[in-house]
Amino acid sequence: MAQVNGNYLKLKAGYLFPEIARRVKAFCDANPEAPIIRLGIGDVTEPLPEACRNAMKAAIDEMGSREGFHGYGPEQGYPWLREAIAKNDFQSRGCQITAEEIFVSDGSKCDSSNILDILGEGNRIAVTDPVYPVYVDSNVMAGRTGDADEVGRYGGLTYLPITAANSFTAEIPTEKVDLIYLCFPNNPTGAVATKSQLQGWVDYARANDALILFDAAYEAFIQDPELPHSIYEISGARECAIEFRSFSKNAGFTGTRCALTVVPRGLMGTAANGEKVELWALWNRRQCTKFNGVSYIVQRGAEAVYSLEGQGQVKALVAFYMQNAAIIRRELTAAGIEVFGGEQAPYVWLKTPKNFDSWAFFDHLLGNAHVVGTPGSGFGAAGEGYFRLSAFNSLANVDEAMRRIRAL
Ligand SMILES: *Cc1c(COP(=O)(O)O)cnc(C)c1O
């Protein structure tokens, strides 16, 4: 019999979302009439922007002619999309990122996992707690951790608690780490980092030869013009950071699939013999060998995000979800619940009332309000006693969910 990858056997039972699905299904089977409202999983709900749909329809028609047909595209993405991204997302904010440094992909969940392909086994890895589970589980699968303890913390990882005391942005580690995962605006806490906070991380990374893996999937939700959208707005970040971005949350591409990773030229890692190696070249090689690019049609759809109509439509989508977030914050606060986040991110992070633990509050909300949220403890031990509600839903559902929670 073929041997399996034993690292998978170290994974703590059940990824968070399958466990939620299991409990919701059990509840629905027992209560088929209950009108469930899902504010749990971080998936968008509103239709794709018209500009994107029109661009994809036109691309499909092009593909129907001999002249307009596209087979395999460049593994790194089409130059016109990489140019549009570099110009609109980075250069417009003063970041010196070029098209060559943009790698278009089918998702930043995969990119943030796949990046481990080009990184060595001996790195000391820091993650926040709570954290987007993908960063941890991908390291477990790649054999970069030890076993999990009772609360689900893996040996070999450095956990940086994010709590109300540090306004949900982690403290800079006191020990030396080599790899740091940061996600701002944050999933799950909805917190955001200021320029000076990010400068602290960049300074730490440069002083310690560490690499920052910066997940900016939610940058479009930032409302405060003073806040940084990209790690490259911080001086020195080109020498120590890779950034992940996605069209999933701003433009509703969760089912359409398009994202990008920025690997600056001249960003170096170290080989076992001490030689410096350019990470760009390794990632380029990895993508060329293991990835065959994003569909031409989808890349045309993503390009339309940067058109005048597309920009307006994406802004409207973001404003819509942020209005939901404001309602959630307002109503929970009125219900006497302590809330965080939801001002620069589509997630509200709440302190569970009456000392409910996270899963008990999940069951309480599901059983009595028929509202599905996400238990904070599912994102890490320090998330215990917290709960995440997502603003990704219709206004009617958000209003109704809040009415039910207030009536509890
Ligand atoms: C949703 C999300 C992404 C986007 O993932 P895709 O694979 O591009 O859909 C990335 N990071 C975080 C933290 C997310 O919540």
Side-chain angles (χ1 to χ4, degrees):
M1 256 190 282
Q3 289 192 2
V4 300
N5 179 347
N7 295 317
Y8 279 61
L9 309 180
K10 294 185 202 161
L11 292 166
K12 283 293 275 186
Y15 176 61
L16 173 61
F17 294 106
E19 175 60 19
I20 292 174
R22 194 189 63 74
R23 291 196 192 203
V24 173
K25 180 169 185 306
F27 180 81
C28 291
D29 289 348
N31 305 276
E33 306 294 307
I36 300 275
I37 297 177
R38 289 183 166 76
L39 302 179
I41 209 158
D43 195 0
V44 297
T45 53
E46 299 309 295
L48 275 181
E50 190 184 7
C52 302
R53 284 183 280 129
N54 286 341
M56 288 193 278
K57 285 181 198 164
I60 289 179
D61 287 339
E62 260 187 90
M63 293 285 269
S65 72
R66 191 165 287 282
E67 309 73 53
F69 175 76
H70 287 75
Y72 291 125
E75 289 90 347
Q76 302 84 351
Y78 283 99
W80 34 264
L81 178 57
R82 300 170 82 195
E83 288 289 351
I85 293 167
K87 178 165 161 274
N88 292 284
D89 282 343
F90 296 99
Q91 292 160 13
S92 73
R93 299 193 66 84
C95 309
Q96 303 312 311
I97 295 295
T98 64
E100 187 194 27
E101 299 172 319
I102 310 279
F103 291 83
V104 175
S105 78
D106 59 350
S108 55
K109 178 168 160 179
C110 7
D111 284 356
S112 65
S113 313
N114 291 337
I115 199 73
L116 292 176
D117 266 15
I118 66 163
L119 298 170
E121 314 239 303
N123 290 316
R124 182 80 199 183
I125 298 152
V127 292
T128 63
D129 177 10
V131 68
Y132 181 53
V134 173
Y135 312 148
V136 171
D137 288 358
S138 58
N139 273 289
V140 176
M141 291 169 170
R144 311 284 166 88
T145 72
D147 290 323
D149 66 13
E150 323 75 62
V151 292
R153 286 186 158 179
Y154 290 90
L157 293 185
T158 297
Y159 287 92
L160 308 171
I162 49 180
T163 62
N166 55 34
S167 56
F168 297 95
T169 59
E171 313 279 351
I172 309 274
T174 46
E175 66 194 80
K176 181 176 158 28
V177 300
D178 306 298
L179 261 187
I180 304 155
Y181 288 86
L182 293 179
C183 173
F184 291 114
N186 188 256
N187 177 10
T189 65
V192 70
T194 62
K195 275 193 182 144
S196 74
Q197 283 167 327
L198 289 185
Q199 188 70 61
W201 285 104
V202 167
D203 293 346
Y204 171 88
R206 295 185 68 197
N208 291 277
D209 266 336
L211 176 66
I212 295 172
L213 298 173
F214 190 77
D215 188 340
Y218 294 96
E219 59 76 29
F221 295 85
I222 292 175
Q223 308 291 306
D224 179 347
E226 294 300 312
L227 291 169
H229 288 235
S230 166
I231 190 80
Y232 304 114
E233 290 178 51
I234 310 304
S235 82
R238 283 185 58 92
E239 282 85 68
C240 65
I242 286 174
E243 181 164 304
F244 304 106
R245 289 224 180 175
S246 175
F247 294 94
S248 283
K249 309 291 161 51
N250 61 343
F253 271 46
T254 52
T256 305
R257 311 305 304 144
C258 198
L260 60 115
T261 289
V262 185
V263 187
R265 292 308 304 252
L267 170 61
M268 309 302 270
T270 314
N273 63 5
E275 239 170 72
K276 298 270 181 229
V277 180
E278 198 184 26
L279 293 176
W280 184 94
L282 298 188
W283 185 245
N284 189 49
R285 182 58 203 263
R286 191 254 170 224
Q287 292 299 81
C288 290
T289 298
K290 294 197 180 184
F291 184 58
N292 248 338
V294 176
S295 127
Y296 172 74
I297 298 156
V298 169
Q299 290 192 62
R300 283 296 186 198
E303 182 191 30
V305 164
Y306 301 105
S307 66
L308 199 57
E309 309 77 48
Q311 289 284 286
Q313 290 159 12
V314 165
K315 273 210 179 74
L317 270 181
V318 166
F320 172 79
Y321 292 126
M322 290 311 287
Q323 185 199 349
N324 286 346
I327 293 169
I328 296 172
R329 277 186 63 92
R330 186 188 71 213
E331 294 300 308
L332 292 180
T333 304
I337 295 175
E338 194 179 2
V339 297
F340 305 94
E343 292 179 311
Q344 321 287 337
Y347 297 118
V348 173
W349 186 244
L350 63 97
K351 185 88 197 72
T352 56
K354 300 184 191 134
N355 287 324
F356 274 113
D357 74 36
S358 296
W359 277 110
F361 189 67
F362 174 91
D363 291 332
H364 175 68
L365 220 53
L366 175 60
N368 298 298
H370 310 326
V371 171
V372 180
T374 315
S377 58
F379 298 102
E384 183 56 86
Y386 289 93
F387 199 79
R388 190 191 77 178
L389 288 178
S390 143
F392 293 132
N393 215 310
S394 66
L395 179 57
N397 277 348
V398 167
D399 277 338
E400 173 61 15
M402 291 306 116
R403 192 193 61 75
R404 292 186 202 163
I405 290 175
R406 285 195 65 174
L408 276 183

